[in-house]
Amino acid sequence: MQNILILDCGSQFTQLIARRLREIKIHSVILSWDSSPDKIKELNPNGIIISGGPDSVNDPDAVNIHEDIFKFNCPILGICYGMQLISKFFGGEISSGNSKEYGITKININSSSELFKNIPDKINALMSHGDNVSNLPEGFKITAYTESNVTAAIENLNKNLFGLQFHPEVANTEFGMNILKNFAFNICKCSGDWDIKNFVDSTINFIREKVQDEKIICALSGGVDSSVAAALVNMACGKNLYCVFVNHGLMRKNEPEQVVKSYENMGLNIKYVDASELFLKELAGVNDPEKKRHIIGKLFIDVFEAEAVKVNGAKWLLQGTIYPDVIESGMKNKKGAVLIKSHHNVGGLPEKMNLKLIEPLRDLFKDEVRTLGKIINVPNEIIERQPFPGPGLAVRCLGDITEERLNILREADNILTSELKISGLYKNIWQAFCVLLPVRTVGVQGDSRTYNEVIALRAVNSQDAMTAEWSRINFDVLDKVSKRICNEISGVNRVVLDVTSKPPATIEWE
Ligand code: XMP
């Protein structure tokens, strides 16, 4: 299969390069900077991109790629640190710290370069570097430079080598996609024949090869990522996939029943475990948010493990990890350690039970997971589901967690969600939910004084949940929600709106 290989030198943008290539229908594979030439040859890449990275090439411990890679007969594009590696390897000089540039910078382009075909003479591009190429290696020429005369792009056509000091993969580099297209289509001669359907086929083959006839277990919560991962593995391994849905008693109104029904309709081998009594018993009287999370996390593992051991001979644990969950893309640091953050509520389980991990979505972004889910017929009610925290309503029920308070919260949440759906706003909001506050306030209902619970409405827009902006929901919709909550739910006499973005607040209240 045609592909462009990305050698990861530790850039925060490495996955973004892969994603951009997927957007132009090019299959890409990311390997660590220290991959052997033999491993790379096996992939038979049409081109190689060397990513940026945090090191300085002048540091003796800096990451470096194997020199034989430069003897391959395919085009190589170095981005930022990648360009400096190429320059240094061929005898150029790199200065450290003289011409630091961070942010959008004006670039003058020599448009006769194939890399810059049909790109204007001047573009704004994202620079993020402390080092720069101060002396060009022999046989190379400068194809772009900044207004302060820093080398912004180089090439050596005889050797099929190209370098960019700026980042074409980020959205705020003008014509960045065109530059990547020029590299992929004109220079590497790719035809753009890949799409997410290929991802489905190749991932299914990969899973089958890896897992063979062994049994796989997974915990499902109704979330998009784990559901799409399970649907994919179900296509690959069918009944060898054992899914467990643990009802911790902290789900929203009718959610456990609906989610399990969707899974059954998807043909998943699913076991429903109602552990709500156990969770609520352990959470009784616990107010501290971190303690709540800790109790839920531990109980979840206990309950899931008890189910998992019933699946005789299970060898694999499936997780719906996606790229934003992975802090570092498996890149080895200088000491050779692989730094990965495992961010899932069944963390700890693989080692404890001696399970091997499968994470088929770990290279994808959320919207790609949704697209993939649609292709493999995961129902819309799951694909369009807003993110919901693992500890569920526990982190939205501030103060005591009791069945009565949870029911108040469920009813309020149901009213908010239905009104947002009726008004058409729901699908444009990243997350909208209610929070039950740990205070009571005085109200007047039916000529009597009340001293009741308060509901806060929280709605945010976000791209990746790292930052979020509070959603400006129409006042008439808010008014309707507030009236319905106070009229229909006994025990609530006040509704307030959270108008804080993230930062300084977080999306959830606990
Ligand atoms: P915060 O509150 O940190 O949340 O701004 C960011 C996103 O993560 C979700 N969230 C969680 N998801 N387990 C999860 O699976 C958790 O413990 C958890 N806490 C927060 C939150 O809903 C938001 O989408």
Side-chain angles (χ1 to χ4, degrees):
M1 192 193 298
Q2 287 188 339
N3 71 87
I4 290 185
L5 168 70
I6 302 166
L7 284 177
D8 181 17
C9 295
S11 166
Q12 53 178 322
F13 299 130
T14 300
Q15 271 298 335
L16 206 50
I17 305 172
R19 192 218 155 98
R20 296 291 178 238
L21 293 173
R22 288 200 289 271
E23 283 173 14
I24 53 173
K25 299 191 181 304
I26 288 171
H27 180 55
S28 64
V29 180
I30 299 177
L31 290 183
S32 175
W33 56 271
D34 58 351
S35 302
S36 72
D38 285 346
K39 189 166 180 188
I40 293 172
K41 254 193 197 142
E42 263 173 42
L43 291 168
N44 193 19
N46 298 64
I48 295 176
I49 295 180
I50 308 172
S51 82
D55 286 357
S56 163
V57 291
N58 292 328
D59 179 345
D61 289 337
V63 305
N64 202 352
I65 63 171
H66 197 287
E67 61 182 61
D68 284 357
I69 294 165
F70 290 114
K71 295 180 190 149
F72 291 173
N73 222 357
C74 71
I76 300 182
L77 169 66
I79 295 178
C80 195
Y81 181 80
M83 164 166 133
Q84 292 159 14
L85 263 188
I86 295 175
S87 306
K88 171 123 197 221
F89 182 81
F90 287 96
E93 257 175 55
I94 315 298
S95 319
S96 291
N98 304 342
S99 315
K100 293 183 185 178
E101 282 166 312
Y102 300 101
I104 298 299
T105 309
K106 278 215 175 333
I107 309 279
N108 298 300
I109 302 252
N110 173 356
S111 55
S112 71
S113 165
E114 194 65 26
L115 199 56
F116 299 127
K117 202 170 174 181
N118 298 326
I119 310 274
D121 291 350
K122 285 185 197 305
I123 58 166
N124 288 310
L126 182 87
M127 288 279 202
S128 180
H129 66 101
D131 292 1
N132 68 292
V133 178
S134 48
N135 240 330
L136 215 53
E138 218 182 293
F140 282 73
K141 68 173 187 179
I142 293 175
T143 52
Y145 52 93
T146 68
E147 297 213 314
S148 49
N149 227 8
V150 169
T151 304
I154 58 171
E155 70 183 24
N156 179 331
L157 289 181
N158 288 335
K159 293 192 179 338
N160 238 347
L161 294 173
F162 303 82
L164 295 172
Q165 185 56 69
F166 57 91
H167 291 271
E169 68 276 21
V170 301
N172 41 10
T173 288
E174 292 171 348
F175 298 92
M177 271 310 263
N178 301 55
I179 296 170
L180 287 175
K181 278 185 192 167
N182 284 340
F183 179 67
F185 297 133
N186 302 347
I187 297 171
C188 301
K189 310 288 181 214
C190 290
S191 53
D193 58 356
W194 183 88
D195 67 19
I196 196 108
K197 288 194 191 97
N198 301 112
F199 175 89
V200 175
D201 295 340
S202 59
T203 309
I204 287 178
N205 288 339
F206 176 78
I207 296 168
R208 278 189 188 142
E209 246 171 56
K210 222 172 158 177
V211 171
Q212 306 270 333
D213 274 338
E214 294 175 338
K215 291 178 184 166
I216 310 149
I217 51 172
C218 85
L220 291 182
S221 60
V224 183
D225 308 338
S226 59
S227 305
V228 172
L232 201 57
V233 173
N234 191 41
M235 288 166 83
C237 307
K239 296 291 174 215
N240 271 345
L241 173 65
Y242 293 78
C243 307
V244 179
F245 177 89
V246 177
N247 180 3
H248 52 21
L250 302 160
M251 307 292 280
R252 289 162 291 190
K253 191 175 178 179
N254 301 329
E255 196 170 20
E257 300 78 8
Q258 282 163 1
V259 166
V260 170
K261 201 163 152 226
S262 302
Y263 287 146
E264 284 167 354
N265 291 341
M266 284 162 64
L268 293 178
N269 182 7
I270 177 99
K271 172 147 189 208
Y272 172 77
V273 181
D274 185 356
S276 45
E277 240 175 67
L278 175 68
F279 278 80
L280 294 194
K281 199 171 117 229
E282 294 289 317
L283 287 167
V286 179
N287 279 282
D288 179 75
E290 278 313 301
K291 270 198 193 136
K292 285 181 187 172
R293 280 174 180 272
H294 183 79
I295 291 171
I296 295 166
K298 187 182 169 308
L299 274 184
F300 190 92
I301 290 184
D302 290 349
V303 173
F304 182 68
E305 189 186 0
E307 287 307 316
V309 292
K310 292 182 196 160
V311 181
N312 261 335
K315 291 273 187 296
W316 297 86
L317 176 71
L318 167 66
Q319 291 199 329
T321 317
I322 65 170
Y323 183 66
D325 300 335
V326 179
I327 277 189
E328 292 200 314
S329 54
M331 201 213 97
K332 287 182 188 148
N333 69 10
K334 287 174 219 159
K335 294 180 194 82
V338 176
L339 304 170
I340 295 173
K341 174 190 165 204
S342 175
H343 155 287
H344 280 256
N345 44 11
V346 283
L349 203 68
E351 300 85 51
K352 199 169 160 193
M353 287 188 64
N354 212 3
L355 294 169
K356 296 175 272 188
L357 263 187
I358 337 177
E359 297 175 307
L361 310 179
R362 63 177 292 131
D363 290 340
L364 301 186
F365 287 82
K366 192 93 183 179
D367 57 321
E368 294 178 306
V369 174
R370 291 204 161 104
T371 308
L372 170 63
K374 278 191 188 146
I375 286 174
I376 59 173
N377 296 325
V378 176
N380 275 349
E381 67 261 19
I382 289 184
I383 290 178
E384 283 156 17
R385 200 171 180 260
Q386 293 181 349
F388 185 63
L393 296 180
V395 292
R396 298 177 180 174
C397 184
L398 279 44
D400 279 347
I401 299 178
T402 62
E403 191 59 53
E404 192 192 354
R405 294 192 82 226
L406 285 171
N407 278 335
I408 288 179
L409 184 53
R410 282 192 185 104
E411 292 302 329
D413 197 80
N414 187 44
I415 290 172
L416 173 65
T417 307
S418 11
E419 288 304 328
L420 289 175
K421 283 185 178 163
I422 291 167
S423 67
L425 294 174
Y426 184 79
K427 59 182 183 310
N428 297 325
I429 293 176
W430 172 269
Q431 260 176 299
F433 54 89
C434 291
V435 181
L436 185 59
L437 302 194
V439 286
R440 284 172 179 256
T441 68
V442 174
V444 52
Q445 284 170 302
D447 291 336
S448 309
R449 177 189 188 273
T450 55
Y451 187 56
N452 278 343
E453 305 264 21
V454 184
I455 287 285
L457 307 179
R458 178 73 164 145
V460 294
N461 282 80
S462 175
Q463 298 256 309
D464 51 15
M466 303 297 286
T467 59
E469 180 75 19
W470 65 275
S471 310
R472 272 56 167 181
I473 298 174
N474 171 301
F475 280 180
D476 291 337
V477 176
L478 289 174
D479 184 51
K480 198 155 173 215
V481 170
S482 159
K483 283 191 176 120
R484 279 194 61 195
I485 288 177
C486 292
N487 289 340
E488 294 175 27
I489 308 174
S490 76
V492 178
N493 66 3
R494 191 177 298 268
V495 175
V496 297
L497 177 68
D498 182 348
V499 291
T500 334
S501 292
K502 173 183 179 175
T506 51
I507 296 176
E508 304 290 345
W509 277 44
E510 283 194 340

